[in-house]
Amino acid sequence: MEYKVEAHRIMSISLGKIYNSRVQRGGIKLHKNLLVSLVLRSARQVYLSDYYAGVCLNAQHIEAKEWELMDADREKLIPASERHVGAEDGRASRLQEKDGDSLDPSDVAVTSPVSPAISETQCGSSDCETDADAAVTEGDSRQPPKDHACSHRKRSAEETGVSETPVKRTKVTPNAIVANNEIEEGEEMDTSNVSNLITIFGSGFSGLLSKDSAKSESETDDSDSGSGQICCEQMLKNLNPWTTAIVAF
Amino acid sequence: MNGQKKSVALSSGTKPLSLGVWGEESPCGDAETAVGGNVVEDLGDHLGELYSILSFNSTGELLATGDKGGRVVVFQREQESKNQPQRRGEYNVYSTFQSHEPEFDYLKSLEIEEKINKIRWLPQQNAAYFLLSTNDKTVKLWKISERDKRPEGYNLKDEDGRIRDPATITSLRVPVLRPMDLMVEATPRRVFSNGHTYHINSISVNSDCETYMSTDDLRINLWHLEITNRSFNIVDIKPANMEELTEVITAAEFHPHQCNTFVYSSSKGSIRLCDMRASALCDNHSKFFEEPEDPSNRSFFSEIISSISDVKFSHSGRYLMTRDYLTVKVWDLNMESKPLETYQVHDYLRSKLCSLYENDCIFDKFECVWNGSDSVIMTGSYNNFFRMFDRNTKRDVTLEASRENSKPRAVLKPRKVCVGGKRRKDEISVDSLDFSKKILHTTWHPSENIIAVAATNNLYIFQDKVN
């Protein structure tokens, strides 16, 4: 539990640093911001893994079955040229068995547990844009036609990450590919605002780049309070200029 | 030159490492005259500008310093005189000039800092001195020359410079050069601009004395010293999609003897050695130096502390030294799998990484330096401490650069940080360390045991004590 608090704190600090770097004299420092984003990602992994620890206790077996099902679905939908990605998925699914809670922030993609898919099936939304959070990726996979287009785009960006670091994955890794869909997520969330913001930082800077103002406005409503939240709200409100800065940079 | 001084590194046998502080007998306060071992110049008077770089030239006669305000101050070593044999050559201010001014990039609406990031001297080829200085975006070549004669006896103008009425000129004379007070001028000879999109972090002069390279976060450019409107890109690690960015270049240096070889370090803790003969674009390295990470030391901040802040070839060209946040490593160019030696600079900070992340100290970029014979390496730490490691005897020492501890002619006392348990009398505990007092920049004379240490806005020069 302390890990979660610590991770939360580190995430807040990191976001504050990124926010402050915008107003620093001399422009945004690429090196420092890259390092801060890596720390942010590590903290997020710990935070989310801890959050879903309770939910995923009994879900391991079901995961495997769902994953095979998902694989089969994908195989049908993915054009031949993309088949090799399916092969990677297969490899990734074998790594499900891998246990251990060592952090691995060097992963380019996010590895978040698949299990909450069970809870997310009640989501009911058909648009991948409205999926709730990182763990919803399984929910995404249930609407293959929709996420097919989304995931392709991100998959190409993430493929190198997956192929280079298959051994390093600790949690269920199919989401390495599917998890990119979290970037498309929308407003309704049942988790804290911090988690949502963390998902924005899905992979590298892509989370920032793909976020648009419509989503940021809708996400500002939340139930939690605390300095981390305030920081995140500020962050969200200022996401647009930040996006511009990143693109310009 | 004093024939008694030691040319070997610090320690010998059981004698403890020590560096003598050489100084005048009478206290000189804040005088600008260089007192070996005492404060050379207190920049506190100059709007609190902080030193940002130090560099000895190839003979060690000159020491250049750059600061956050874009100013360069060059110190020159005094010629030793027989009258005062105990003064082994102090460093006095030789030239001061404003190298860079703040600029504004209108396209990106960004201010460009005037802070001097790096200074590198060119090998001396005539009476004038040349150095390269750079801020985030622009490299400049400065010529520092002396003028001790001036022409007198012009026909068309008088001594004040006023034009003479031609009607009053009745005879012609030839102007002659007459001695004058020595004047040191610094003039910008070349400006190498618009070469970098990202912030320049290093420059390195090639051993061919014709080219140099400038390095930013993602690219390395090769310039010819005579040509300012063209440069060649030799390394480009920018990904096609910036979202995939995972590492940046943190430092680069040419091999001291092989003009085709250079290395660059990354934020992931790896070093790549490239050979420019292999291809025009050196994206593919010839050698890749990386030490596998110790999984037991994993933390949120593992990536940050493995980012290399400085890389330096040994004078021999056989070894490479890298500095990351907690260690200094010496690599053998022939062994890529792991470093030859690893020295812990301040391992007691490993448990404090979270606090250091909060106060931004974890992003501090420490430099490291070899002594002339490559037997001792030195780097800075916090609380105005700096550390020296003798590679042969494996002894190390922690010294402090501060006004209170540096009386004239005093010998620097080794310091010790207490990591736990009972603190002894002279030790300082980790929690008492002042993290605002950091020594990022240190440099060593190329052939003698003279070091320059920048502590915030004070510059210290220490010399080896001669018995």
Side-chain angles (χ1 to χ4, degrees), chain A residues 9 14 17 25 32 206, chain B residues 114 243 298 357-358 360:
Chain A
R9 191 167 140 259
S14 304
K17 284 189 197 301
R25 193 169 170 250
K32 183 176 174 186
S206 63
Chain B
E114 67 276 28
E243 301 170 10
R298 203 98 182 77
Y357 178 70
E358 269 183 88
D360 270 1

Side-chain angles (χ1 to χ4, degrees), chain B residues 159-369:
Chain B
E159 298 309 318
D160 296 332
R162 278 192 299 255
I163 306 292
R164 288 171 71 186
D165 180 3
T168 63
I169 299 171
T170 54
S171 63
L172 286 178
R173 55 182 176 170
V174 177
V176 291
L177 293 174
R178 296 217 186 277
M180 60 178 258
D181 290 339
L182 180 65
M183 194 169 74
V184 182
E185 307 176 303
T187 47
R189 299 305 299 234
R190 306 271 186 278
V191 177
F192 305 91
S193 54
N194 299 322
H196 290 276
T197 308
Y198 303 96
H199 294 155
I200 297 175
N201 53 52
S202 309
I203 46 175
S204 178
V205 183
N206 202 342
S207 52
D208 65 7
C209 304
E210 282 185 2
T211 57
Y212 76 94
M213 66 175 171
S214 57
T215 309
D216 67 29
D217 291 320
L218 298 176
R219 298 190 176 102
I220 302 181
N221 291 338
L222 184 71
W223 303 80
H224 192 284
L225 285 166
E226 298 291 328
I227 300 169
T228 59
N229 60 0
R230 211 164 40 225
S231 80
F232 290 99
N233 175 247
I234 52 176
V235 173
D236 188 342
I237 66 166
K238 184 178 178 187
N241 188 356
M242 273 298 267
E243 301 170 10
E244 295 163 12
L245 182 71
T246 55
E247 72 181 316
V248 297
I249 302 173
T250 52
E253 199 182 49
F254 269 117
H255 191 279
H257 313 307
Q258 297 167 14
C259 58
N260 54 283
T261 307
F262 66 92
V263 294
Y264 67 92
S265 60
S266 85
S267 56
K268 276 192 178 171
S270 63
I271 309 106
R272 288 169 176 82
L273 183 139
C274 299
D275 187 336
M276 293 197 290
R277 298 170 302 187
S279 69
L281 191 58
C282 297
D283 278 356
N284 297 320
H285 51 262
S286 300
K287 293 198 186 205
F288 182 74
F289 301 86
E290 191 177 46
E291 184 176 25
E293 193 190 345
D294 180 4
S296 64
N297 277 336
R298 203 98 182 77
S299 75
F300 286 121
F301 310 104
S302 296
E303 272 118 356
I304 301 187
I305 63 172
S306 64
S307 175
I308 293 176
S309 54
D310 195 15
V311 65
K312 291 264 172 45
F313 272 104
S314 64
H315 291 93
S316 61
R318 214 192 125 186
Y319 301 105
L320 203 58
M321 170 164 57
T322 58
R323 174 74 154 100
D324 51 58
Y325 191 63
L326 296 177
T327 69
V328 186
K329 294 178 181 170
V330 174
W331 303 77
D332 187 325
L333 286 190
N334 299 317
M335 182 165 72
E336 301 167 52
S337 56
K338 61 182 168 83
L340 202 59
E341 299 148 22
T342 300
Y343 300 95
Q344 302 293 335
V345 181
H346 37 217
D347 201 56
Y348 44 79
L349 297 182
R350 200 178 284 274
S351 54
K352 303 209 171 301
L353 293 179
C354 195
S355 322
L356 295 166
Y357 178 70
E358 269 183 88
N359 63 17
D360 270 1
C361 283
I362 205 173
F363 300 105
D364 287 335
K365 297 192 181 169
F366 291 95
E367 292 172 9
C368 53
V369 69

Side-chain angles (χ1 to χ4, degrees), chain B residues 376-395:
Chain B
V376 181
I377 57 180
M378 175 170 71
T379 188
S381 178
Y382 293 103
N383 208 74
N384 281 350
F385 287 168
F386 58 99
R387 303 258 282 141
M388 290 188 186
F389 302 92
D390 188 317
R391 297 178 56 218
N392 300 326
T393 65
K394 301 302 177 198
R395 293 172 65 107

